Amino acid sequence: MDSISYYLQTILNGILAGCIYALFAMGLTLIYGVLNFVNFAHGELIMWGAYFLFLFMAEPFGLPLYVAIIPALALTGCLGLAMDYSVFRPIRRANRLTLLIAAMGLSVLLRNAAQFFWGAEVRTYGFEVIAGTQFLGLYLTTTQFAIIAVTLICVVAVYLLFFKSRLGKSMRALSDNLDLARISGIDTKRSILAAWVISAVLAGIGGILLALDTNLHPEMGIANLIKAFAATLIGGVGNLWGALLGGLLIGLAENIGVLFISPGYKDGIAFVIMVLILLARPYVILGERSD
Amino acid sequence: MKKLAVLVAVVAIFAFLAVPAVRAAEPIKIGAAFALSGSIAVYGEGFKKCIDLAVEEINAKGGIKGRKIEIVYEDNKSNPKDCVTAVRKLITVDKVPVIFGPAGSSNFMATAPVAQENKVVLLSAQGAAVGLTKAGDYIFRVFPSDTLQGPHLAKLAIGMGYKKVPVMYVNNDWGLGLKNAFVDAYKKMGGTVTDIIAYDEKKTDYRTELLRASKGNPPAIVNLTYINEGAVQFKQAFEMGIKTQWLCGSAARAPKMVELAGKAAEGVIGTYPSVPQNTKQYQAFKDAYKKKYGDDKIPIFGDYNYDMVYVTAKAIEKGGYTADGIRKALPAAAKGYKGVTGDKTFDNERSPKFAEYGIWIVKDGKIEDYKK
């Protein structure tokens, strides 16, 4: 592999990792934007999304991938709603720490539940490995192409929904001020439910793409969530384009960094960036609006 | 009055005699801090099966001096923090004098000082890391150290004509120990290490690490990896068109790895502590396993776990059911003992003195012994 394509492949690898982070970060930032708390159980939506697909592709359903995706994402959306209904709605007005702890507890519960149903072992959807297609000296598989394309589609779709639709407008109003939004006659319940469904479906899509690209594992969500969280912070909490850019930035920085320093410090790169951003923009964790 | 005194005396004598009898019925408890959940629960369930098999056999033959063995399992959740919690619980709540420690060298090494401080015997049946037992004289292992595996892997690489290789390894006690043992031996044999790439466990994306290792199209890459990580890596390397001879250690040698990686794992070669399967001990174990569980797929390291139970039982019989007794009796109990995994004699570092190494290869989706 000559040296130009060596670096180009690294950049491509960074973009792939970044797209996955961005898909996770978008869902995270959406819930943060509307409900003003970090959903640490988001990683489990990612993982359950992937396992739901596994469920519908395995016996007794045995559906092909393209069909199975629909019920899998629908169930992931329902899981998001169920999370809100059972845990977060009763404590909607509790302080942020309570919400955070509740989310962490829920995360453990859902992870253990997945382990209970499917076991702790690593699984795959059972597709044959296919060598990537060579294109200008770069290798790209169908799944990887799908990762990039789906991420772009999701960003545009969520952007349109958030900024061009009535529902999006009410969600944004909600995130500015819950009480004011309610007094103005906005159906807050409906907006919150919509935010959960979108966030969960984004997580499900990301989880399925990640599992198609690698494997299924009960800890696959949590392993990537912290990076998604960093991406959210870098991009500015509640900012969709920021989530995309933050994800790509971390993905690229990590992968390019690997070429020059020991890959043992790969995670360090993401967190150094995150800490620097937090130092420069401390209001992000203080919970004030970033815009 | 006199009669009553005699009666009391007789009752007292019987009561006194009866105490050991009551005691004898009490089970001998052995702790096991195993991975029953978390990332390496894949292994934990297999170990448990083989431990249970050995315990069942010993108990069926009357246990240890009439007392039955009972294993107290504690989930270590596959991470060092919960391993320590599990071992502490076994020591303080269950008060066991001997514990079968967690798998994963880092996990085991986190718990070893706890056992040593509390003077409780801790054994490992799969820890290969070089310094695994260095915490003290209560720490033992029945699995050979990588001090022995490193040179075998180096010999394999040189023997196949690979004089220059990059080395990738999983960044933990096991990976680091084997990497050092390999690099030392490889250099002594005249080999050159072109790059050293450490990577973290449990990642989903190793593409750029692989790309860096493949720089300059090396004919072979040494990758000291695990089941899940290995599967992801071979898959991603295959997708990126990296064509090389992968040389691995023992931890990736699992049907699960091949199942996950599919044809991307084809041709991967590695070393492993081999257990001669033509011995009567091995055959008996295999038959007993099949009889109990209905299949003859012996879980990875299951045979070592099985031997660990027997060696421990022998030590308890010899030295008594106390931590000190077991610690002192273990070397003598294991000396010359021919288990399923061969001669279990300990060396000065309480690790097996003898180990045979084989070479494995993935061929047509199966793990086979490599024939040159």
Side-chain angles (χ1 to χ4, degrees):
Chain A
M1 197 171 276
D2 61 62
S3 90
I4 295 169
S5 57
Y6 177 72
Y7 290 106
L8 285 178
Q9 183 80 45
T10 303
I11 290 169
L12 179 66
N13 293 345
I15 290 173
L16 283 168
C19 283
I20 294 285
Y21 295 151
L23 275 175
F24 297 168
M26 278 199 292
L28 207 57
T29 211
L30 188 67
I31 290 297
Y32 193 100
V34 174
L35 294 171
N36 225 352
F37 80 100
V38 179
N39 179 17
F40 265 93
H42 193 70
E44 276 51 50
L45 287 171
I46 292 164
M47 176 263 296
W48 273 87
Y51 273 99
F52 280 140
L53 181 67
F54 183 80
L55 175 76
F56 287 110
M57 282 175 68
E59 294 302 319
F61 300 101
L63 299 174
L65 174 66
Y66 296 99
V67 182
I69 281 180
I70 297 159
L73 288 180
L75 270 186
T76 317
C78 292
L79 182 64
L81 287 179
M83 272 164 68
D84 184 50
Y85 186 81
S86 58
V87 177
F88 297 117
R89 203 172 73 164
I91 53 170
R92 185 85 78 218
R93 284 166 189 284
N95 65 32
R96 293 153 67 87
L97 190 66
T98 311
L99 287 162
L100 187 77
I101 302 290
M104 284 178 167
L106 189 61
S107 156
V108 175
L109 179 77
L110 286 173
R111 213 174 325 136
N112 286 351
Q115 210 161 299
F116 177 77
F117 288 119
W118 286 288
E121 62 180 312
V122 184
R123 292 171 185 275
T124 70
Y125 293 127
F127 292 111
E128 226 1 282
V129 194
I130 298 160
T133 324
Q134 207 173 356
F135 176 73
L136 298 175
L138 299 179
Y139 286 90
L140 193 67
T141 65
T142 324
T143 311
Q144 291 164 2
F145 179 73
I147 289 174
I148 297 173
V150 169
T151 307
L152 288 176
I153 293 169
C154 286
V155 172
V156 172
V158 173
Y159 174 81
L160 290 178
L161 184 95
F162 219 55
F163 290 99
K164 303 288 173 201
S165 79
R166 230 185 127 70
L167 181 68
K169 206 172 188 178
S170 60
M171 275 155 106
R172 281 185 291 139
L174 211 73
S175 82
D176 274 345
N177 190 320
L178 185 66
D179 291 317
L180 209 59
R182 189 171 288 160
I183 291 165
S184 321
I186 289 169
D187 188 348
T188 52
K189 265 188 193 154
R190 188 165 145 259
S191 309
I192 291 173
L193 292 185
W196 275 106
V197 171
I198 298 165
S199 169
V201 169
L202 284 173
I205 293 172
I208 286 170
L209 287 171
L210 179 65
L212 280 170
D213 193 35
T214 59
N215 297 316
L216 290 104
H217 193 267
E219 289 181 19
M220 61 185 278
I222 196 102
N224 286 289
L225 186 74
I226 199 88
K227 298 285 181 56
F229 183 53
T232 314
L233 292 181
I234 289 168
V237 177
N239 184 336
L240 285 168
W241 293 111
L244 177 71
L245 290 177
L248 287 176
L249 182 68
I250 290 185
L252 284 169
E254 272 185 348
N255 280 282
I256 294 170
V258 163
L259 295 184
F260 302 105
I261 60 169
S262 169
Y265 302 112
K266 198 174 178 182
D267 284 349
I269 299 168
F271 296 118
V272 165
I273 296 177
M274 188 174 105
V275 168
L276 289 178
I277 298 277
L278 284 179
L279 286 173
R281 305 167 60 176
Y283 45 77
V284 173
I285 39 169
L286 293 178
E288 284 159 39
R289 299 280 308 161
S290 57
D291 44 17
Chain B
M1 197 61 200
K2 215 176 184 180
K3 260 187 186 168
L4 188 66
V6 170
L7 191 68
V8 167
V10 169
V11 168
I13 289 164
F14 269 100
F16 184 72
L17 287 176
V19 169
V22 170
R23 263 228 183 128
E26 257 177 47
I28 284 184
K29 282 188 185 170
I30 298 175
F34 275 20
L36 304 175
S37 70
S39 60
I40 54 169
V42 190
Y43 297 98
E45 283 158 32
F47 302 160
K48 186 172 176 293
K49 278 184 172 177
C50 295
I51 297 262
D52 289 343
L53 175 64
V55 169
E56 198 179 284
E57 284 174 8
I58 295 171
N59 286 345
K61 286 179 197 145
I64 301 170
K65 291 183 179 163
R67 292 171 70 178
K68 294 227 187 305
I69 299 178
E70 188 191 310
I71 307 285
V72 186
Y73 287 104
E74 199 57 45
D75 184 9
N76 71 33
K77 298 178 189 156
S78 306
N79 68 69
K81 184 177 97 354
D82 288 305
C83 283
V84 171
T85 311
V87 165
R88 273 196 204 285
K89 194 233 157 199
L90 289 167
I91 294 171
T92 54
V93 178
D94 300 297
K95 300 204 179 350
V96 295
V98 52
I99 295 171
F100 297 153
S105 294
S106 300
N107 293 339
F108 187 87
M109 284 165 94
T111 62
V114 179
Q116 181 67 28
E117 273 166 32
N118 288 285
K119 297 198 174 359
V120 166
V121 176
L122 185 72
L123 290 109
S124 167
Q126 57 281 313
V130 173
L132 192 87
T133 56
K134 70 179 177 206
D137 55 354
Y138 283 83
I139 317 299
F140 291 80
R141 67 168 138 196
V142 298
F143 192 82
S145 161
D146 278 334
T147 327
L148 303 171
Q149 181 168 200
H152 277 88
L153 187 58
K155 214 167 95 187
L156 173 69
I158 296 281
M160 291 177 82
Y162 302 124
K163 298 264 163 61
K164 271 184 175 180
V165 289
V167 180
M168 304 175 70
Y169 68 97
V170 48
N171 200 2
N172 61 21
D173 292 307
W174 173 78
L176 186 68
L178 181 54
K179 187 265 294 178
N180 289 338
F182 167 78
V183 170
D184 285 351
Y186 188 65
K187 281 182 180 162
K188 269 184 204 137
M189 293 176 196
T192 312
V193 175
T194 54
D195 195 2
I196 291 181
I197 300 165
Y199 53 78
D200 284 334
E201 285 172 77
K202 291 189 205 169
K203 287 274 136 64
T204 46
D205 171 22
Y206 292 105
R207 292 195 185 89
T208 305
E209 285 89 332
L210 293 161
L211 196 65
R212 177 168 151 183
S214 72
K215 196 174 185 189
N217 295 319
I221 300 174
V222 171
N223 185 9
L224 310 170
T225 187
Y226 282 161
I227 298 177
N228 189 15
E229 286 76 3
V232 172
Q233 288 157 354
F234 299 141
K235 228 157 109 175
Q236 293 180 341
F238 186 84
E239 286 168 355
M240 286 194 295
I242 296 171
K243 286 183 186 71
T244 188
Q245 175 61 59
W246 294 102
L247 299 173
C248 299
S250 46
R253 179 180 170 269
K256 188 83 201 174
M257 188 279 284
V258 184
E259 182 197 321
L260 294 172
K263 66 179 177 198
E266 202 61 25
V268 172
I269 288 182
T271 50
Y272 72 104
S274 73
V275 174
Q277 307 206 345
N278 50 10
T279 61
K280 66 174 196 295
Q281 286 90 341
Y282 194 88
Q283 277 311 318
F285 165 66
K286 203 171 173 180
D287 292 342
Y289 185 89
K290 194 171 181 182
K291 203 173 154 203
K292 185 164 161 72
Y293 297 111
D295 69 279
D296 52 4
K297 275 190 201 151
I298 307 290
I300 184 168
F301 308 139
D303 34 14
Y304 287 94
N305 278 276
Y306 180 87
D307 276 355
M308 177 168 68
V309 179
Y310 271 94
V311 169
T312 308
K314 275 188 74 173
I316 295 173
E317 193 164 15
K318 228 181 170 83
Y321 182 52
T322 62
D324 253 327
I326 296 166
R327 174 179 66 94
K328 285 181 188 141
L330 263 170
K335 191 164 192 233
Y337 173 74
K338 295 271 189 294
V340 173
T341 59
D343 191 323
K344 301 319 294 174
T345 307
F346 287 113
D347 64 9
N348 294 335
E349 286 171 341
R350 301 166 303 283
S351 293
K353 196 171 179 180
F354 308 105
E356 281 184 47
Y357 284 85
I359 300 167
W360 57 275
I361 181 168
V362 181
K363 210 173 167 188
D364 302 324
K366 284 202 183 72
I367 291 179
E368 291 179 3
D369 275 327
Y370 176 66
K371 288 170 200 79
K372 281 168 201 162

